Amino acid sequence: MYSKIITVSTLNNYIKKTLDNDFILRNANVKGELSNVKIHSSGHIYFSLKDNSSKINCVMFKSNANSLTFIPENGMNVLVNGRISVYEKEGVYQLYCDGMEIDGVGNLYIEFEKLKRKLEEEGLFDFENKIDIPMFPRKIGVITSSTGAAIRDIINVTRRRNDKVDILIYPSLVQGINAKYDIVKGIEKLNSITDIDVIILARGGGSIEELWAFNEEIVARAIAKSKKPIVTGIGHETDFTISDFVSDKRASTPSQAAEIVVPTIEELNERLLNIRGMLTNNIKSEMLKNKKNLEMYKKVLELNSPKNFLVNQYNIIDNKKEILGHKMKKILEYQLREVQKNYELLGAHNPLNILNKGYSLIYDNEKHVISSINELKDEKKVKILLKDGKGTFKIERMNEE
């Protein structure tokens, strides 16, 4: 039997036309749980719609997304209407959504919100509990799948930024029922290694189910208990897990986690230059401040210098000396005048002045003045004081009158 040979493009085009012309598929109303929601910067929304056994990829263009009254999030149960068609270039069919409304919240989303509230109330998300990421790590530990794209991205970014940083990989399950236990063991193991400075917990993108190991309470508590800082790089920019909230720093992707943890050589040099500049400025500022203080203290010392005090005291002494000299001069002049006055007064009343008139004074040996002739009779020798001197004389009595 003859079968016509057609190209892939023709086949995809035929399937597209067939689906586009189907009455049910042109106006489909489908309910399910949102998964792997990504809101593009263009305004388009990409997501999956799933139930217990199947899922379908969906897209809602910006023109229709603008009419939504809520922000689609993973785990929401929604009702969507639109058309099923084929993206010819990839040969895949998807649901092009015209509208969407909330039909309830999925079980995983309910569990997520419940645990989030519980841990938040316990303070596991508090900023004061976060550990600072070291600026210059020498060795980083990475917990992720050894075969996934995440580890390759982390290694490539680290080697590109700073090949002096060592990487220790703890290969762990990142999906499935046992992944949570493996991740906890990895955190405990890397915490026991002394020279590890920081830990990266990472995996590539996926649906909420695929990322669920990072929403487990046992993992969250292991992160909170860690003595070493943990940076999470789980999924894509729009993916948030409980681990992200508990960790010390969240990165949107594994690559960004490596960029946060590992500084480039240029960044290190720039930081060193900045630190050097800051130190230089601080030293200059401190020296200038100290110089101003010294100048101020110098002025204070000069104002309170004992030299200034002594100079002032000398001035005071000189002033007092001058005043004292003036007073002494006045006193001496006064005393001199008094002495002169008394001298003149004494001179005026000096009994010896009478000697100038020819009188004399006669003394006995005891220097008593002899004023009577009878006293003179008993003396053999007398002293006679005249105006021009005195002497001792013998008395010879001739007669008496």
Side-chain angles (χ1 to χ4, degrees):
M1 183 177 180
Y2 174 75
S3 177
K4 183 179 179 181
I5 298 174
I6 59 176
T7 64
V8 174
S9 297
T10 303
L11 177 60
N12 283 347
N13 183 261
Y14 176 79
I15 295 173
K16 175 177 170 56
K17 288 181 178 179
T18 301
L19 295 180
D20 288 346
N21 290 323
D22 186 276
F23 175 77
I24 294 177
L25 299 180
R26 280 186 317 190
N27 188 23
N29 293 289
V30 186
K31 71 174 182 177
E33 182 180 320
L34 291 178
S35 178
N36 206 24
V37 176
K38 294 178 178 61
I39 301 177
H40 198 271
S41 58
S42 63
H44 306 325
I45 303 176
Y46 301 91
F47 59 94
S48 296
L49 199 62
K50 67 182 184 66
D51 55 21
N52 292 333
S53 58
S54 300
K55 75 173 183 177
I56 183 173
N57 292 331
C58 308
V59 60
M60 175 177 275
F61 295 122
K62 179 180 179 180
S63 57
N64 294 316
N66 287 338
S67 62
L68 291 177
T69 58
F70 63 96
I71 299 176
E73 295 181 359
N74 291 328
M76 286 184 174
N77 278 350
V78 295
L79 295 174
V80 300
N81 69 289
R83 59 186 178 84
I84 308 297
S85 186
V86 171
Y87 179 44
E88 292 184 59
K89 185 176 180 180
E90 298 292 336
V92 295
Y93 74 89
Q94 56 187 359
L95 175 57
Y96 293 85
C97 300
D98 298 325
M100 180 190 302
E101 60 184 50
I102 297 177
D103 186 41
V105 181
N107 292 331
L108 288 180
Y109 184 73
I110 292 175
E111 291 181 30
F112 177 89
E113 287 296 326
K114 182 178 178 181
L115 179 60
K116 181 182 174 185
R117 284 194 298 271
K118 175 184 176 181
L119 298 181
E120 187 173 15
E121 289 173 357
E122 291 183 21
L124 268 68
F125 302 166
D126 292 349
F127 182 77
E128 54 266 25
N129 294 330
K130 308 293 183 183
I131 305 174
D132 293 334
I133 309 302
M135 294 180 63
F136 311 109
R138 294 178 178 271
K139 190 173 187 178
I140 63 174
V142 180
I143 302 173
T144 190
S145 171
S146 60
T147 58
I151 188 60
R152 292 194 299 273
D153 292 342
I154 291 172
I155 292 173
N156 290 337
V157 171
T158 300
R159 290 290 171 260
R160 185 181 72 247
R161 292 173 70 83
N162 190 344
D163 59 3
K164 304 299 182 183
V165 176
D166 294 330
I167 304 174
L168 178 62
I169 302 170
Y170 182 91
S172 170
L173 296 173
V174 291
Q175 183 177 337
I177 192 170
N178 292 318
K180 57 185 178 183
Y181 303 113
D182 225 7
I183 294 170
V184 171
K185 287 180 182 177
I187 294 173
E188 293 173 348
K189 179 63 179 177
L190 294 183
N191 265 270
S192 68
I193 300 175
T194 306
D195 60 348
I196 287 198
D197 301 308
V198 61
I199 299 171
I200 294 177
L201 180 58
R203 73 148 285 163
S207 64
I208 188 172
E209 296 88 355
E210 293 169 331
L211 301 178
W212 192 253
F214 300 93
N215 290 320
E216 295 285 359
E217 182 173 357
I218 187 175
V219 175
R221 294 196 180 279
I223 294 173
K225 188 179 178 181
S226 174
K227 300 300 181 182
K228 298 181 184 293
I230 294 180
V231 177
T232 52
I234 302 167
H236 300 299
E237 187 172 355
T238 56
D239 296 321
F240 280 86
T241 66
I242 297 295
S243 295
D244 291 319
F245 294 112
V246 183
S247 69
D248 301 295
K249 185 73 175 179
R250 175 196 178 259
S252 58
T253 63
S255 296
Q256 190 189 44
E259 291 176 355
I260 290 173
V261 169
V262 182
T264 64
I265 296 297
E266 291 76 13
E267 287 175 345
L268 292 177
N269 290 334
E270 185 176 353
R271 286 181 183 178
L272 288 174
L273 288 174
N274 289 337
I275 292 172
R276 180 180 179 182
M278 289 173 60
L279 286 174
T280 301
N281 291 336
N282 288 340
I283 291 172
K284 288 181 178 178
S285 177
E286 193 68 20
M287 290 181 67
L288 182 61
K289 183 176 74 174
N290 289 335
K291 183 179 179 182
K292 290 182 178 178
N293 288 338
L294 286 173
E295 291 175 352
M296 180 185 69
Y297 294 146
K298 182 181 178 182
K299 291 179 180 178
V300 173
L301 285 173
E302 288 175 351
L303 291 174
N304 297 276
S305 171
K307 181 180 179 181
N308 294 335
F309 176 78
L310 290 174
V311 169
N312 291 331
Q313 293 303 311
Y314 283 136
N315 290 333
I316 294 173
I317 290 173
D318 289 341
N319 291 336
K320 289 186 176 181
K321 181 179 178 182
E322 185 178 351
I323 293 172
L324 182 62
H326 183 68
K327 288 184 176 180
M328 289 179 64
K329 183 179 179 181
K330 283 188 174 182
I331 292 172
L332 289 174
E333 290 176 350
Y334 173 76
Q335 294 294 335
L336 184 60
R337 287 196 299 271
E338 289 295 314
V339 168
Q340 185 66 30
K341 178 180 175 183
N342 291 330
Y343 178 78
E344 292 175 354
L345 184 60
L346 286 173
H349 294 85
N350 189 350
L352 297 179
N353 287 342
I354 197 170
L355 298 178
N356 295 326
K357 298 179 179 182
Y359 293 98
S360 64
L361 291 175
I362 302 173
Y363 299 93
D364 61 16
N365 290 331
E366 301 300 327
K367 297 183 179 181
H368 295 141
V369 176
I370 298 174
S371 59
S372 171
I373 190 69
N374 293 323
E375 294 175 356
L376 189 59
K377 291 178 181 180
D378 298 326
E379 297 295 332
K380 301 297 182 181
K381 292 181 180 181
V382 295
K383 293 180 180 180
I384 299 173
L385 175 64
L386 299 172
K387 70 174 183 179
D388 56 350
K390 62 182 178 178
T392 302
F393 300 92
K394 283 184 179 183
I395 296 180
E396 182 178 350
R397 190 173 118 185
M398 299 298 295
N399 60 2
E400 185 176 332
E401 293 181 4

